[in-house]
Amino acid sequence: MRRDIHICVSLLYAALLFYAASVPFFWPTNGIGFVAGPRSAPFTCSELMSSGGDANAMIIGFVGMSIPALHRVILMPKPMGRVEFGLFLVSIALSLGIVSLATLDCAEILHTMIWQKDFGLVSAYGAVFMALVLAFILRKTGLRAVL
C-alpha cells in the first residue's frame, strides 16, 4: 500500500515536471508571448524589431525541468535522496532564472501572467510550485505525509 502511494506521488511529481518542460514547445504558438508592461498601452515583446523578440526565447528555461523528472522516473521505487532533491532545486533556480532574464529585455512576467491571463505561463509556474510541494513530501516526510 505504501509503495503504491509512493509511486503515485512520484509519477505525479514527474508528470508535473514534464508538463513544465513541455511548455516552451507550445507556448510561443498558443500563447500571446511576453507583454511589456502597463505603462501606456501593453504590447507584445515580439513586436519590437531590435531586441524584444529574444524575450520570448527565454521560456526555453523550463526545459531544464526535464532532468529531475527523468531522474525521478529512473529511480521511481526508491525514496528521493539529497542529491536528487538538490538537482531539483538547482534546476528550479536555473529554469526560473533564465525565464526571469526576459525582464531585462522587455517582458514583464507578472503582467503577462495576471493581467493578460496567459494560461500557459501560469500553468508552468503552477506545475513547478506543485512539484516543489511534492518534492518536499517525497524528501522530508516520506510516506508519512501522504498516509
Side-chain angles (χ1 to χ4, degrees), residues 1-13 133-147:
M1 177 77 174
R2 286 181 166 213
R3 183 175 172 86
D4 294 339
I5 293 173
H6 174 76
I7 288 176
C8 288
V9 171
S10 292
L11 280 173
L12 182 59
Y13 166 79
V133 170
L134 291 176
F136 276 115
I137 289 173
L138 288 171
R139 173 66 190 135
K140 289 292 182 191
T141 58
L143 296 176
R144 290 179 304 217
V146 180
L147 297 177

Side-chain angles (χ1 to χ4, degrees), residues 12 18 27-28 37-38 44 49 57 61 66-67 72 78 82 88 103 105-106 112 120 122-123 135 138-139 145:
L12 182 59
F18 278 129
W27 183 72
T44 59
M49 297 297 247
S66 63
I67 296 169
R72 179 79 291 198
K78 297 184 181 191
R82 284 183 285 170
F88 172 63
T103 59
D105 197 16
C106 130
T112 303
V122 171
S123 65
L138 288 171
R139 173 66 190 135

Side-chain angles (χ1 to χ4, degrees), residues 23-36 43-48 51-63 98-99 101-109 112 118 121:
V23 166
F25 300 109
F26 67 83
W27 183 72
T29 56
N30 295 338
I32 58 173
F34 283 120
V35 175
F43 60 91
T44 59
C45 292
S46 61
E47 293 174 6
L48 293 176
S51 64
D54 297 339
N56 289 341
M58 297 302 172
I59 195 74
I60 200 73
F62 278 111
V63 172
I98 290 170
V99 172
L101 287 176
T103 59
L104 296 175
D105 197 16
C106 130
E108 293 190 18
I109 296 173
T112 303
D118 192 340
L121 200 56

